[in-house]
Amino acid sequence: MRNMVIAALRSASEPEYAAFTRKLCPDTARPILGVRLPKLRTVARDLARGDWRAFLAQARRETYEETMVEGLVIAYAKAGLEEKLGRLEPLLYSLDSWALTDSIASTLRFSPQELPRVWDFAQSCLAASHTYVRRFGLILMLDHFLTPEYLEQVAKTLEELRDQRYYVRMAAAWLLAELAIHDYGRAVQVLASGRLDDFTQNKAIRKMRESYRLTPAQKEALLPYRRKEEKP
């Protein structure tokens, strides 16, 4: 089964797109075939409709695309929550690209009853030391927890986060900017708390000011919270 998947991926590969992906994802050490995400989703959906457990047993994560397909299959598969999370966790520790974490996290779907368990899983991701496991936790919050029931906990998570790595801080800034769309006052409280590092604070403000979903007055009110960053 794996050989058929690899053959399908290679037949859909585009060298120019591989070079483009490499520039977007400079951290990944895996070979990049250059298969566009819609095609990867099609392959993953087809696998998820069949014996997807057999595919996962054979998966090797040797290329960027095979790693992406593995995560998407887990997301699309009809399985219980604990099985999904159990299969997802070891994969997360092998991820080495923001595009892998973000695409997989956004594809997952959960019922309202499952969210408390998923929140705990996201928190466990943030307790990890691995860059992309931490980013995955933040992207899970962005995609699944910007709801009235969780906004306060999201804000608290952002205030307590301590990480100097670029892809973690960029995810935190993105999450805070999206929090502002759902609860502007709470997002401003996070900015006013003084607990964010300068980079995350300024990136979040920039994203908020670029948003079409905030008013001009709201954007103007963010300016006093910008900080002067020291040059490295």
Side-chain angles (χ1 to χ4, degrees):
M1 182 183 294
R2 176 177 179 266
N3 290 338
M4 294 177 61
V5 172
I6 296 300
L9 294 177
R10 291 191 181 281
S11 69
S13 64
E14 303 174 39
E16 290 185 0
Y17 191 71
F20 172 74
T21 304
R22 175 64 66 188
K23 290 180 180 178
L24 284 179
C25 307
D27 277 12
T28 185
R30 293 181 170 88
I32 298 175
L33 302 176
V35 183
R36 296 177 185 269
L37 184 58
K39 176 62 176 179
L40 297 176
R41 291 191 181 281
T42 297
V43 171
R45 287 192 186 98
D46 289 343
L47 288 167
R49 284 192 285 265
D51 190 356
W52 56 270
R53 291 182 178 88
F55 166 73
L56 293 181
Q58 299 172 15
R60 294 294 178 267
R61 307 171 193 166
E62 291 180 354
T63 65
Y64 170 91
E65 283 80 4
E66 187 178 3
T67 307
M68 179 75 83
V69 168
E70 181 180 346
L72 295 177
V73 167
I74 294 170
Y76 289 132
K78 291 184 178 180
L81 179 62
E82 292 305 325
E83 181 178 3
K84 283 203 173 194
L85 297 183
R87 291 182 178 275
L88 190 60
E89 186 171 9
L91 171 64
L92 296 185
Y93 283 87
S94 72
L95 299 184
D96 58 0
S97 163
W98 66 266
L100 290 170
T101 61
D102 296 16
S103 298
I104 295 168
S106 65
T107 304
L108 290 160
R109 295 291 180 268
F110 306 109
S111 69
Q113 294 76 23
E114 292 172 329
L115 287 179
R117 173 69 179 94
V118 178
W119 175 264
D120 291 342
F121 183 78
Q123 290 295 312
S124 71
C125 290
L126 289 173
S129 60
H130 189 287
T131 298
Y132 293 101
V133 177
R134 280 198 168 188
R135 183 178 173 98
F136 191 88
L138 292 169
I139 300 300
L140 271 183
M141 292 182 189
L142 188 149
D143 288 327
H144 303 286
F145 291 99
L146 289 178
T147 60
E149 298 82 3
Y150 285 94
L151 293 178
E152 183 177 354
Q153 294 179 68
V154 169
K156 182 179 179 182
T157 297
L158 286 167
E159 289 181 350
E160 294 178 350
L161 182 66
R162 298 292 179 269
D163 201 303
Q164 293 299 309
R165 290 169 293 188
Y166 177 81
Y167 288 106
V168 176
R169 293 195 292 179
M170 286 297 289
W174 185 13
L175 177 57
L176 180 53
E178 289 298 311
L179 175 63
I181 306 303
H182 295 80
D183 191 332
Y184 178 81
R186 196 180 298 276
V188 170
Q189 288 176 359
V190 175
L191 294 174
S193 71
R195 302 184 68 181
L196 300 183
D197 63 86
D198 293 348
F199 178 92
T200 302
Q201 178 116 346
N202 289 343
K203 283 292 183 182
I205 291 172
R206 179 176 178 178
K207 288 178 177 293
M208 292 177 201
R209 286 179 54 79
E210 291 174 348
S211 173
Y212 293 106
R213 294 175 290 173
L214 294 181
T215 68
Q218 287 174 322
K219 295 178 183 180
E220 189 69 18
L222 297 171
L223 291 176
Y225 297 103
R226 290 195 301 193
R227 298 179 188 160
K228 184 177 180 180
E229 294 182 58
E230 294 184 6
K231 294 183 179 180

